[in-house]
Amino acid sequence: SEMCIRDSYVVAAGIIFGLSISVRIMGLIIGGILLAILVFSRPLRAWFYAIAAYSLTAAMTAYLTWPYLWPHPVERFIASLQVNLGHQHNPPVLFQGASYASSQLPSNYVPTLIGVQFTLPLLLLAGVGLIWMLINLRRNSREFPILVLVWLILPITAFVILRPAFHDNIRHILFITPPIFLLAGFGLERIQRTLKLKKVLMAAAVTLALAPGIVHIVQSLSLI
């Protein structure tokens, strides 16, 4: 029964993966993140069959829910991937008082965008979580550091060094939001354990951390 439960999880995850690809082809990043985590954290025999079933289920789901692929699945899939990676349109992007082509943005564009889009308490807590994780790298499981590396650090580094075409604000890198919040939660937990904060003080700290975002949401709603 335990094996059946695990198999159902693999199939369900594969279906979700396939749907994410058919909605937006860059959903492939999800599978890449999972594969990298498994390759670096588990022996081959522990993940090979599961990832094969996961990939097959995802491929079938993407094909069945993406009518564009039906006549020529391989050719059209490759063509769609090339279009998304190529960014054939090149709209201007305003940044720090200047207009740039989306394919010629400065290397500090993405770090600056992250600093503007996320609140200061969130970034500070994520920084605490990242530092604590690095300090205790040898003591803890490798899965969480690998997750952060593949899901957050490598993509941001790639954007800074390779400077691919980028436009329409942060929507191209929304996938980095979960690991940032994971690190922030990890940082908040470390602070609570280190300072041995009581529930009341912990609730107050969480409220202060959330306050800037809540205030901004209320202000935005008032402008609608």
Side-chain angles (χ1 to χ4, degrees), residues 111-126:
T112 303
L113 186 61
I114 292 173
V116 171
Q117 290 293 318
F118 297 101
T119 63
L120 182 59
L122 175 67
L123 294 177
L124 289 175
L125 287 173

Side-chain angles (χ1 to χ4, degrees), residues 42-115:
R42 303 284 183 181
L44 177 63
R45 64 180 181 275
W47 61 263
F48 180 79
Y49 293 106
I51 206 67
Y54 173 76
S55 302
L56 181 60
T57 304
M60 293 174 59
T61 302
Y63 174 75
L64 293 174
T65 57
W66 191 355
Y68 174 74
L69 298 180
W70 293 353
H72 305 285
V74 177
E75 294 86 346
R76 290 194 171 188
F77 182 84
I78 294 174
S80 297
L81 188 60
Q82 289 173 337
V83 169
N84 278 269
L85 292 177
H87 290 282
Q88 295 176 353
H89 56 300
N90 197 24
V93 177
L94 296 177
F95 179 60
Q96 295 182 338
S99 179
Y100 296 88
S102 62
S103 59
Q104 298 177 349
L105 291 169
S107 57
N108 66 325
Y109 177 76
V110 169
T112 303
L113 186 61
I114 292 173

Side-chain angles (χ1 to χ4, degrees), residues 123-144:
L123 294 177
L124 289 175
L125 287 173
V128 171
L130 179 62
I131 292 171
W132 196 282
M133 182 191 74
L134 294 175
I135 291 175
N136 296 274
L137 198 57
R138 295 183 178 180
R139 301 179 186 175
N140 300 323
S141 170
R142 293 182 299 172
E143 292 184 0
F144 185 61

Side-chain angles (χ1 to χ4, degrees), residues 194-212:
T194 301
L195 301 179
K196 297 181 180 179
L197 298 177
K198 295 183 178 180
K199 292 183 178 180
V200 175
L201 292 178
M202 190 63 180
V206 172
T207 302
L208 288 175
L210 295 175

